Amino acid sequence: MNIKEKDREYIASTYNRFPIEIVGGKGSVLRDETGKEYIDMGSGIGVTSFGIADEKWQQAITDQISKVQHTSNLYYTDPCVILAEKLCLKTGMKKVFFSNSGAEANECAIKAARKYAAEKKGGDHFTVITLKNSFHGRTLTTLAATGQEHYHELFTPLTPGFAHVEAGNLEELKKTAEETKAAAIMIECVQGEGGVIPLDPDYVRGVYDYAAENDIILITDEVQTGNGRSGMLYSYMNYGIKPDIVSTAKGLAGGLPLGATLLGEKVKDVFGFGDHGSTFGGNPVCCAAAISIIDRIDDALLDEVKEKSRYIFGEFEGADGVESVSGLGLMIGIKTVKSASEVVKTAMENGVLCLTAKDKVRLLPALNIPMNVLEKAVKNIKSACASK
Ligand SMILES: *Cc1c(COP(=O)(O)O)cnc(C)c1O
């Protein structure tokens, strides 16, 4: 059996993979088993922030792995502390809990919000309000948080205590929060899996004000939007708000598994010993990788992200076969006349890897994709969108 046949034999059938095997690459160029090269416009779903086999990132990992690869959280290690300090200083958040994935970062955020509300207002204040069309993860609790019914089917009963409201409708949110005695509101400032849809700034501001006035914990899920992707370090910074909790993962460690839940002033001390934990959380190698990523997301890089974003919007808006373009920074959704999957297939055949989100072609290139490589990819994707 070749590797594709063996995969179908031995790997659980949860992924409908494209028919190529990635064997290597450099930066924003990937190579398959036949030697064919592709420009990577997906970054492993927003994970490889500085591309494949980036040298500074590799150095940070090899330095740490040659010292100590894991200790458990029974002992002090330095990479997780340095990383937590950097994240707090750059955001104004106060403490960090480390885990291994986006779903886990959200689980921690939900636990923190529930404990805060239970202590402050009583155990009947447990509901977490999220938005319809949101995506917050695949564990049974984060599935319950996810406001898309089709993910829930046949996995019920899910964790109780979640309510979903329409994005943009502040009155519905307030009414639901009152009726359910909400503990928290959790939003993605740009809905990623839901179709790369930025929330309306007035709405986000309204949610923030309402949550602050009513001592409801505001969580921003920055798993996909975080770590420079939106043109700011975290996407909430585009909206002039300050959440109580920020969850992030995907691009944080540039390709190693790491989740982080950033706890603001209200909840910084909500957890006591034994309240939460993770065997691998804060792993020194993953944290060393993340330090190397966070250190490079400076104003100059963020300006570059915004510049490339403007370029991509400019190229696709009004282009042949393109209905609309949405998104923020290097998180872009393109509604095409042809089906998104057809466009992605054609682009792949022509040497560009793209993603989809609902009915859109989704682009999440590396933050440092070189301009000439980006131009080539855009040209290619435009031709895949075009009527002929
Ligand atoms: C990908 C994603 C998650 C889930 O992250 P995992 O690492 O797959 O658990 C949660 N929230 C958002 C917004 C995401 O994009």
Side-chain angles (χ1 to χ4, degrees), residues 2-125:
N2 67 29
I3 207 72
K4 293 172 195 170
E5 289 161 350
K6 263 193 196 168
D7 183 298
R8 282 190 288 275
E9 179 81 18
Y10 292 111
I11 301 282
S13 329
T14 56
Y15 304 111
N16 186 11
R17 300 195 205 276
F18 289 100
I20 59 171
E21 181 194 347
I22 305 294
V23 297
K26 190 77 192 160
S28 286
V29 177
L30 300 178
R31 193 173 63 253
D32 77 7
E33 79 282 16
T34 68
K36 179 174 170 179
E37 291 190 335
Y38 303 85
I39 300 174
D40 181 12
M41 293 296 283
S43 306
I45 319 190
V47 168
T48 51
S49 305
F50 288 92
I52 292 292
D54 175 80
E55 275 158 29
K56 287 185 193 140
W57 176 82
Q58 284 179 329
Q59 194 60 52
I61 291 167
T62 44
D63 286 352
Q64 182 58 42
I65 218 162
S66 63
K67 290 183 207 151
V68 57
Q69 82 276 30
H70 174 85
T71 60
S72 85
N73 281 304
L74 298 174
Y75 312 103
Y76 292 96
T77 51
D78 126 340
C80 72
V81 182
I82 304 292
L83 176 60
E85 180 186 30
K86 284 181 190 291
L87 291 171
C88 289
L89 291 178
K90 282 175 180 265
T91 59
M93 303 300 280
K94 300 297 179 196
K95 289 192 177 183
V96 181
F97 180 87
F98 288 114
S99 54
N100 315 284
S101 69
E104 283 174 277
N106 284 337
E107 291 264 352
C108 173
I110 293 162
K111 279 180 76 171
R114 281 205 173 154
K115 189 168 178 214
Y116 175 84
E119 284 179 344
K120 199 88 190 275
K121 301 179 176 176
D124 57 343
H125 286 70

Side-chain angles (χ1 to χ4, degrees), residues 78-371:
D78 126 340
C80 72
V81 182
I82 304 292
L83 176 60
E85 180 186 30
K86 284 181 190 291
L87 291 171
C88 289
L89 291 178
K90 282 175 180 265
T91 59
M93 303 300 280
K94 300 297 179 196
K95 289 192 177 183
V96 181
F97 180 87
F98 288 114
S99 54
N100 315 284
S101 69
E104 283 174 277
N106 284 337
E107 291 264 352
C108 173
I110 293 162
K111 279 180 76 171
R114 281 205 173 154
K115 189 168 178 214
Y116 175 84
E119 284 179 344
K120 199 88 190 275
K121 301 179 176 176
D124 57 343
H125 286 70
F126 53 75
T127 299
V128 177
I129 299 180
T130 65
L131 301 182
K132 289 183 180 153
N133 198 44
S134 60
F135 184 85
H136 297 296
R138 304 283 197 158
T139 63
L140 285 169
T141 296
T142 55
L143 262 190
T146 293
Q148 301 188 57
E149 287 300 322
H150 70 100
Y151 286 111
H152 298 172
E153 276 159 29
L154 304 182
F155 296 115
T156 53
L158 302 174
T159 307
F162 289 87
H164 310 296
V165 298
E166 203 69 52
N169 186 339
L170 195 55
E171 288 317 306
E172 184 196 4
L173 180 127
K174 290 180 182 175
K175 188 163 168 283
T176 307
E178 271 146 41
E179 283 169 6
T180 61
K181 302 193 171 102
I185 299 166
M186 178 157 70
I187 58 172
E188 300 158 87
C189 290
V190 185
Q191 296 189 327
E193 302 300 315
V196 202
I197 305 167
L199 297 182
D200 174 69
D202 289 337
Y203 174 72
V204 172
R205 186 83 212 167
V207 172
Y208 167 75
D209 288 340
Y210 175 74
E213 281 155 19
N214 293 278
D215 197 12
I216 294 171
I217 296 298
L218 179 61
I219 305 167
T220 58
D221 177 343
E222 301 269 0
V223 173
Q224 188 163 157
T225 52
N227 314 302
R229 174 82 26 214
S230 74
M232 297 290 269
L233 182 59
Y234 291 102
S235 69
Y236 74 80
M237 295 170 172
N238 293 285
Y239 286 82
I241 62 160
K242 197 162 183 344
D244 300 300
I245 303 180
V246 173
S247 58
T248 190
K250 287 197 169 88
L252 177 59
L256 288 185
L258 183 65
T261 308
L262 280 48
L263 306 170
E265 186 63 42
K266 276 188 185 177
V267 289
K268 67 177 185 201
D269 292 319
V270 75
F271 289 132
F273 294 146
D275 273 345
H276 200 43
S278 165
T279 300
F280 285 117
N283 173 275
V285 179
C286 299
C287 288
I291 291 168
S292 87
I293 298 292
I294 291 297
D295 276 348
R296 288 163 79 181
I297 305 177
D298 56 11
D299 289 343
L301 181 93
L302 293 173
D303 285 345
E304 232 184 86
V305 167
K306 289 179 199 137
E307 183 62 38
K308 287 171 191 165
S309 177
R310 280 192 289 274
Y311 166 73
I312 297 173
F313 268 87
E315 286 292 315
F316 283 98
E317 275 170 344
D320 186 12
V322 172
E323 288 181 0
S324 61
V325 190
S326 64
L328 197 61
L330 287 178
M331 181 172 177
I332 292 176
I334 304 166
K335 178 88 183 71
T336 50
V337 175
K338 292 182 193 166
S339 77
S341 58
E342 190 187 340
V343 172
V344 169
K345 185 165 176 282
T346 309
M348 191 178 78
E349 284 160 6
N350 297 334
V352 179
L353 301 180
C354 307
L355 306 166
T356 60
K358 288 233 165 132
D359 59 350
K360 291 184 186 159
V361 176
R362 175 174 41 158
L363 307 180
L364 302 172
L367 305 180
N368 67 340
I369 184 170
M371 203 56 209

